[in-house]
Amino acid sequence: MKTIQRTIALMALLTAGLGLQAEDPWEGGFKLTAATFSGAEEAYLGQGRAYGLAMFGRYPLGRSSGLAFEGGYKFMPTTTHTFGASNWEDKSDGYYGSALYQHQLWFEGFTLQGGVRLAQYVTARRANFFPGDGTSLLTKYRGDYATTVKPMVGAAYRLNAQYGVELNLVSTEMKNVQGQAKTGTMVELALLIHL
């Protein structure tokens, strides 16, 4: 339920931001992302895929370069692990902000980008215990927040005035409810909607 509330709040923020958009050359919009994070299920973080929504803005520095900023929310859906008389349902979510330098190469609309991402993720677990007498015990755990600043690189292509696509490789570190860290590279694919 909190995921739905956060998504609605982010959409309201996006809508409110439309009136605040500056005059040219600043441009902005939002993006829908889908990502993979190999080993997430084995690390008890949630599914190995993630989904998110973000706002972005870009300010050109010159004819072929610019600075881009984004802020968003990402979640990894629930995965279930069964152990004898119990099962664990783990999921993760969090917020992030990125600052990127973009450089246009080869042909119009294609850019390479690199920068850093500040992210804060947390993992939650619902543990169901079945003692064998026909009853069950539900326990909820929440891990510590994992806050990191990590590098990212990627490429973007502007399809037309309103839409674009983006592929990023983001160094990521998350912690499960026991505090064990999982480090790896998250591969993100995003649909950009320019306003």
Side-chain angles (χ1 to χ4, degrees):
M1 190 66 177
K2 287 184 180 182
T3 301
I4 294 170
Q5 292 171 342
R6 290 176 182 163
T7 303
I8 291 170
L10 188 55
M11 290 299 288
L13 183 62
L14 285 170
T15 304
L18 289 176
L20 302 175
Q21 186 173 352
E23 294 296 320
D24 286 340
W26 183 263
E27 67 172 326
F30 66 96
K31 63 168 94 173
L32 305 171
T33 62
T36 62
F37 189 41
S38 181
E41 290 185 27
E42 295 80 11
Y44 304 105
L45 298 171
Q47 293 183 14
R49 49 187 185 264
Y51 304 97
L53 178 65
M55 294 175 52
F56 71 89
R58 182 180 186 280
Y59 188 83
L61 296 175
R63 187 168 181 223
S64 62
S65 62
L67 289 177
F69 303 95
E70 66 180 9
Y73 170 76
K74 185 173 291 174
F75 71 96
M76 299 171 75
T78 301
T79 187
T80 302
H81 298 273
T82 302
F83 303 96
S86 66
N87 65 35
W88 297 349
E89 298 174 355
D90 296 306
K91 65 180 180 178
S92 297
D93 68 339
Y95 296 92
Y96 65 91
S98 305
L100 302 161
Y101 173 78
Q102 296 179 325
H103 189 77
Q104 183 176 323
L105 292 177
W106 301 308
F107 53 89
E108 185 70 27
F110 181 74
T111 58
L112 294 180
Q113 58 192 17
V116 294
R117 175 171 288 176
L118 169 66
Q120 185 176 60
Y121 296 108
V122 66
T123 301
R125 172 177 292 163
R126 288 173 38 116
N128 293 305
F129 299 98
F130 305 99
D133 59 0
T135 63
S136 65
L137 174 64
L138 175 65
T139 308
K140 296 181 181 181
Y141 304 94
R142 190 165 181 86
D144 294 329
Y145 285 94
T147 305
T148 59
V149 177
K150 297 284 188 177
M152 62 182 289
V153 296
Y157 181 66
R158 184 104 179 227
L159 300 170
N160 55 36
Q162 190 169 8
Y163 299 105
V165 292
E166 188 175 87
L167 178 66
N168 291 310
L169 302 175
V170 184
S171 181
T172 304
E173 181 178 313
M174 300 173 74
K175 293 180 182 177
N176 62 23
V177 294
Q178 284 94 13
Q180 298 165 330
K182 161 72 174 132
T183 304
T185 301
M186 188 173 284
V187 180
E188 292 180 346
L189 181 62
L191 171 66
L192 283 68
I193 302 171
H194 298 268
L195 302 175

